[in-house]
Amino acid sequence: MSTTKVATVFGATAVGALLLGGVASATPAETVVNTPCSFSQIVAATYAQDEEEGAALAASPMAGSFAAFLAAPAWQRQAILASQPVIVDRVNAFFGGPGSGLARTVFASCVDY
């Protein structure tokens, strides 16, 4: 995955108010790396919480890149993040800001979809 695609993947966090959350002891980046959920599960969980946000995520121009990232195995996601510390910083900052509650709920419940 190219650097541009990786940056685009995590731009989706702000666009979809989407990414991460989950286990309290996990950092936001660890949550993204270790999620067992597919992009379609993330979208479904987002729709279940907020239809407008779900629609925005599904229609996002970054959706394809985010789907590709989630389709990669955890070790590959980790390698991508390890090579892109600025993305890790953005993910962690997102989880500390507005939208973080939705993101945490989505990632905690996505396995149900």
Side-chain angles (χ1 to χ4, degrees):
M1 187 177 291
S2 71
T3 302
T4 302
K5 281 190 173 186
V6 172
T8 300
V9 164
F10 287 99
T13 59
V15 172
L18 171 235
L19 283 185
L20 337 188
V23 181
S25 63
T27 67
E30 289 170 337
T31 300
V32 172
V33 165
N34 296 317
T35 185
C37 298
S38 67
F39 179 71
S40 61
Q41 288 175 297
I42 295 290
V43 171
T46 304
Y47 266 112
Q49 295 300 314
D50 184 320
E51 288 186 23
E52 188 175 316
E53 292 295 339
L57 175 61
S60 168
M62 295 172 240
S65 294
F66 186 42
F69 178 82
L70 290 174
W75 67 266
Q76 189 174 13
R77 292 184 217 166
Q78 180 61 48
I80 291 166
L81 292 184
S83 70
Q84 300 294 325
V86 70
I87 294 173
V88 174
D89 291 344
R90 288 180 63 195
V91 169
N92 289 333
F94 175 75
F95 267 76
S100 64
L102 174 63
R104 291 178 192 284
T105 300
V106 165
F107 271 79
S109 66
C110 62
V111 294
D112 297 330
Y113 297 89

